Amino acid sequence: KQHKKGLMQQLFPAEGETTPRLRFPEFREAGAWEVKRLGDVCEVLDNLRKPVARTKRNPGPYPYYGASGAIDYIDQYIFDERLLLIGEDGAKWLPYEKTAFIVEGQYWVNNHAHVLRPTLAIDTLLENYLTALDISQHITGAAPPKLTLDNLRLIWVPLPPKRDEQQKIAHCLSSLDEVIGLESHKLDTLKNLKKGLMQQLFPQEVA
């Protein structure tokens, strides 16, 4: 995770710059990155989301997403495509706090997460950039703090001029996520192994 974090800091331009410190060889002469507003590179589908009170949710196979991920499973769905969600309220917005996340399949989204369909940016690239970004500076209000739709649209996003470069960066970061997932699984397995071993290495409590 630390390796990916350090790599992202070099693969994306630093604040106030238009070229990253690290670039794949075939794109070193591709020119400066373009900086666009988030609202210009995504279609916002907030008008399709809909909250469902807990008492009115019927159990089912479809994830019910909120600001930070799936909070329930219900018997209906609104969306049936791969989209990008970002917390509107009740989320964490500091760098690397997983503010944005990709969802796919059939699912429901409540009114605590913005729903984005990337059009000019590859979703994996955008997800990683927004996750690394300090979005707290765009938050308003206190009860509760909120990332309004207007502020969401105004977030600046740097993008490589060629889509091939976007794809290459996205693939690189996705590959690291796969490694992180495998290593996390190994770690969980070792923890469970140690826990089971300790239960056998120490005498059991006598009633």
Side-chain angles (χ1 to χ4, degrees):
K1 287 179 179 179
Q2 290 299 323
H3 174 66
K4 180 186 176 184
K5 181 178 178 181
L7 189 60
M8 286 174 64
Q9 291 170 347
Q10 298 182 69
L11 285 173
F12 291 104
E15 187 176 355
E17 299 180 3
T18 56
T19 53
R21 282 172 283 177
L22 183 63
R23 208 163 186 179
F24 292 101
E26 62 267 41
F27 301 111
R28 286 174 185 162
E29 305 300 324
W33 285 30
E34 301 169 346
V35 182
K36 299 178 180 290
R37 298 285 191 182
L38 186 58
D40 295 328
V41 301
C42 291
E43 181 181 353
V44 181
L45 305 178
D46 283 7
N47 61 311
L48 299 179
R49 61 187 184 169
K50 185 178 179 181
V52 181
R54 185 185 298 274
T55 55
K56 294 184 178 180
R57 296 180 208 158
N58 297 318
Y62 306 112
Y64 179 81
Y65 286 102
S68 301
I71 58 174
D72 206 349
Y73 287 84
I74 62 176
D75 64 343
Q76 299 180 65
Y77 64 90
I78 302 174
F79 300 99
D80 187 8
E81 62 178 303
R82 182 179 165 107
L83 296 171
L84 180 66
L85 305 186
I86 180 169
E88 178 176 346
D89 53 41
K92 296 179 180 180
W93 295 287
L94 292 175
Y96 303 100
E97 288 192 325
K98 206 60 181 175
T99 301
F101 54 98
I102 291 172
V103 292
E104 52 189 330
Q106 297 170 326
Y107 51 92
W108 195 288
V109 182
N110 67 18
N111 61 328
H112 296 293
H114 294 294
V115 184
L116 306 177
R117 179 190 287 145
T119 53
L120 300 181
I122 292 174
D123 56 6
T124 306
L125 181 80
L126 199 55
E127 175 198 26
N128 278 282
Y129 177 74
L130 291 173
T131 297
L133 193 65
D134 183 3
I135 296 181
S136 63
Q137 59 187 313
H138 301 281
I139 305 305
T140 57
K146 187 173 185 177
L147 175 61
T148 65
L149 180 56
D150 287 341
N151 286 353
L152 174 79
R153 292 181 186 274
L154 292 176
I155 293 174
W156 288 108
V157 177
L159 293 174
K162 294 185 177 182
R163 195 170 181 86
D164 287 351
E165 187 174 4
Q166 286 192 40
Q167 188 65 62
K168 187 108 180 193
I169 297 170
H171 178 71
C172 172
L173 297 176
S174 294
S175 297
L176 282 174
D177 285 335
E178 290 179 12
V179 174
I180 291 169
L182 289 171
E183 293 300 322
S184 296
H185 178 69
K186 287 182 185 178
L187 182 60
D188 290 340
T189 301
L190 285 171
K191 285 180 178 179
N192 288 329
L193 177 63
K194 180 185 176 185
K195 181 178 178 181
L197 191 60
M198 288 174 66
Q199 291 171 345
Q200 298 178 64
L201 287 172
F202 292 102
Q204 297 296 309
E205 183 178 359
V206 180

